[in-house]
Amino acid sequence: MNKSTLALSLLITLSPLAAFAATAPLDLVGPVSDYKIYVTEQIAELATQTQAFTDAVKKGDLATAKQLYAPTRVHYEAIEPIAELFSDLDAAIDSRVDDHEKGVKADDFTGFHRIEYSLFAENTTHGLDALADGLNNNVKDLQTRVAGLTFPPEKVVGGAAALLEEVAATKISGEEDRYSHTDLYDFQGNIDGAKKIVDLFRGQIEKQDTAFLAKVDKNFASVDTILAKYKTADGGFQTYDKVKENDRKALVGPVNTLAEDLSTLRGKLGLN
């Protein structure tokens, strides 16, 4: 056995991906590497835009802070499965009021949604300097940690379903951005993040199940068509409180179907 054959044999033997095909570890290197590039780019945008957002908050520029809130968060939503690997930062950056026993004034309620409360419910930037600095520092910390992270393939592939499951389970109700009603931005971020994973692993999925891939593509197109109805001329979205209950329910079916289909993706690629 020559050295290259031996190395490949050891890689297959030792890797948890061995349940896939013999060449699975090598097949997955490219997509996982490309996904890390994507996540790195998204976090770079998140860091830049968070700086601008928190600068506006600290300057007392309420209108600009409100305007920047949703477009900034999109980048976090797109890469949430990776961000959630760092549970301390995820809680500090993205926890909701429901996660805190003492509500909006809890000392440990920080991050985007705590600032959202003051900006949109209280209509003020007063007293937010420390929260703004904390959010900015936590996003920079996330950027540093992700840069040094080895991405687990099973977590990457599983992230596609996780993003859609969260939309279906808790976001369509409007509970996440309950003060700003900017939920449609979050939906788009989650859907874009899930679609990116599917696109990067498209070649591997196609080898396993072309009919499955066609169905997933069709459902992504359905969700995109629904969301497109609510886009505004500036490229953003109308506020979610203006979306009727029947229209919210129309999102549930395609999103649930996507989430269910994508939950089988790890198994199809031998990553369970």
Side-chain angles (χ1 to χ4, degrees), residues 193-255:
K195 190 171 188 299
K196 184 68 176 181
I197 293 168
V198 171
D199 284 343
L200 289 175
F201 288 87
R202 182 168 294 273
Q204 287 74 19
I205 301 167
E206 201 162 28
K207 290 177 183 177
Q208 303 297 321
D209 194 337
T210 55
F212 168 82
L213 189 58
K215 183 184 178 187
V216 166
D217 284 342
K218 183 179 178 181
N219 280 310
F220 269 123
S222 296
V223 173
D224 283 340
T225 298
I226 294 169
L227 287 178
K229 295 195 302 182
Y230 306 110
K231 286 193 174 179
T232 53
D234 62 0
F237 288 95
Q238 64 179 266
T239 55
Y240 197 52
D241 55 333
K242 295 178 182 175
V243 179
K244 295 178 181 178
E245 188 63 30
N246 284 345
D247 293 328
R248 294 187 185 192
K249 288 178 180 177
L251 270 168
V252 173
V255 170

Side-chain angles (χ1 to χ4, degrees), residues 127-150:
L128 295 180
D129 283 15
L131 286 165
D133 286 340
L135 174 60
N136 203 38
N137 290 336
N138 284 328
V139 167
K140 288 177 180 176
D141 190 4
L142 178 64
Q143 187 174 26
T144 299
R145 293 198 206 180
V146 168
L149 178 68
T150 298

